[in-house]
Amino acid sequence: MQAKVNTLCLAKRKPKWLTLRFIELTSTESVFYSPAHNLKGSSALIVIYKNGLTSKTMQYIASQSTYPATVFLNQNEITKRHCKIRWFNQTSEIKRCGHGTLAAANFLIDHLGYCPEAFTSMSNERFTIRVKKQRAQLLLKSIEPKKSELAEGELKSVFSVAIKAAYSTGENNGYTVVLFNKEFNKEFSKEFDKAVEKDDLKSIRIDFKALCALHKNAVIALSIKNKDKKNAIAHFRYFAPQFGVNEDSATGSAVSVIAPLLFRLYGLNKAKLIQQSNNGALLNYEFNNAKVVIY
């Protein structure tokens, strides 16, 4: 099936870059939202382009966007089984973007009636797509974090509360997950009820300048709320000022690190993840055989 030649206007006043002869189609797509829990999720700008669009122009288009991620797909590849994908925020190219990938897949399913089996990033990482009930699910290889006293020490001055433990995947372009001490959780469990919308992580204060200066990884603050295997719930926040985003609204790629850690610590192979950004997000996942399915 061939893509429809169409440009979906994003505003009453069309941006100048939409007139570029390389742009075939544009739209926006939201993911990880839950009206029932008042969680808005996140959106991405999807740009389908013809051959000839340079990286510099992609970055320019993303810099003019108000969305957390701008996703670029080549018109000549979206009908194939495998399709290259690139993501940019307002200041730089993104290395991994789960929410942008799911947004692109759902856009293609909804508007064009098909979707590639996998998207491939610039680093040749494969983002496999499964389609269930006309909605996309993202399959990623899990990334196993290791306990890191070095990361724990570097991040002591970053957070307003004491860190219980830190787990890192690497020193460069990686992830670090931080857990906080039990006293912190107990204190806030007295103040807040058990509703999904309220939690201790919202009250944490972060020194973003210190994070940029002291640590190279994106940082995930994680808190387990319900360890029951049938109704497991965990809350998290995601900080990456080193990569141009102080706090991300909805972070699908982070689940590739969170899922194996929750399995190791609590034996959970699936859970609901509530991302406690300002907008809030709901992410469901299943973890099996070193792979994570996110939806």
Side-chain angles (χ1 to χ4, degrees):
M1 181 185 296
Q2 295 296 317
K4 298 177 182 178
V5 179
N6 184 31
T7 297
L8 305 180
C9 294
L10 305 176
K12 292 182 179 179
R13 189 172 183 178
K14 186 181 295 186
K16 289 183 179 179
W17 58 262
L18 266 180
T19 63
L20 291 172
R21 58 189 176 88
F22 303 113
I23 304 300
E24 184 73 10
L25 185 151
T26 64
S27 188
T28 59
E29 190 77 23
S30 297
V31 293
F32 302 141
Y33 54 87
S34 174
H37 297 109
N38 195 30
L39 302 173
K40 297 178 182 179
S42 188
S43 300
L45 172 64
I46 315 298
V47 179
I48 310 295
Y49 68 93
K50 304 174 185 178
N51 287 334
L53 193 65
T54 65
S55 298
K56 184 177 180 180
T57 304
M58 290 181 186
Q59 183 60 75
Y60 168 73
I61 293 171
S63 73
Q64 302 301 302
S65 169
T66 59
Y67 298 94
T70 300
V71 185
F72 293 89
L73 303 173
N74 192 309
Q75 165 77 13
N76 296 324
E77 295 185 4
I78 57 176
T79 58
K80 298 178 180 179
R81 291 178 59 190
H82 296 160
C83 175
K84 293 179 182 178
I85 188 169
R86 297 179 73 175
W87 320 273
F88 290 77
N89 60 30
Q90 282 75 13
T91 61
S92 57
E93 185 163 6
I94 303 170
K95 302 299 181 183
R96 305 176 82 234
C97 185
H99 108 264
T101 304
L102 268 179
N106 281 324
F107 165 74
L108 292 176
I109 292 168
D110 290 343
H111 295 278
L112 305 178
Y114 61 87
C115 177
E117 293 179 7
F119 295 97
T120 306
S121 72
M122 291 293 286
S123 62
N124 291 320
E125 182 178 5
R126 178 174 291 189
F127 293 74
T128 301
I129 299 297
R130 294 178 179 176
V131 179
K132 188 173 183 179
K133 297 181 179 179
Q134 289 299 107
R135 303 307 295 168
Q137 296 183 347
L138 177 61
L139 178 63
L140 293 176
K141 290 183 179 180
S142 64
I143 305 174
E144 189 74 34
K146 297 180 180 179
K147 196 168 185 179
S148 173
E149 293 183 1
L150 175 62
E152 183 179 345
E154 290 178 345
L155 295 171
K156 277 185 177 179
S157 62
V158 171
F159 293 97
S160 59
V161 294
I163 296 173
K164 178 183 178 182
Y167 299 81
S168 291
T169 63
E171 295 182 357
N172 295 307
N173 296 323
Y175 300 88
T176 295
V177 182
V178 294
L179 305 176
F180 300 101
N181 60 39
K182 293 181 180 179
E183 288 71 21
F184 169 73
N185 288 325
K186 287 180 180 179
E187 182 67 25
F188 281 91
S189 66
K190 296 176 184 177
E191 183 177 350
F192 295 131
D193 61 28
K194 296 181 179 179
V196 166
E197 294 84 358
K198 298 179 180 180
D199 186 52
D200 42 2
L201 292 184
K202 284 188 175 181
S203 62
I204 293 175
R205 297 186 300 277
I206 303 95
D207 186 336
F208 292 111
K209 288 184 178 180
L211 178 53
C212 282
L214 298 173
H215 198 65
K216 296 181 179 180
N217 286 352
V219 176
I220 302 163
L222 180 65
S223 176
I224 184 71
K225 309 314 298 178
N226 187 345
K227 301 175 187 177
D228 178 67
K229 291 187 177 182
K230 292 183 179 180
N231 301 291
I233 298 175
H235 295 175
F236 77 102
R237 294 174 68 183
Y238 180 92
F239 312 105
Q242 312 93 318
F243 306 109
V245 180
N246 279 353
E247 180 168 5
D248 202 1
S249 299
T251 319
S253 59
V255 186
S256 62
V257 181
I258 294 173
L261 184 59
L262 289 180
F263 181 76
R264 188 202 312 176
L265 296 178
Y266 306 108
L268 300 173
N269 61 3
K270 63 179 180 179
K272 287 185 177 180
L273 295 177
I274 308 298
Q275 187 161 347
Q276 294 199 299
S277 59
N278 286 335
N279 287 339
L282 173 63
L283 297 81
N284 292 281
Y285 79 86
E286 295 180 12
F287 173 64
N288 285 295
N289 298 321
K291 295 182 179 179
V292 185
V293 179
I294 307 162
Y295 53 96

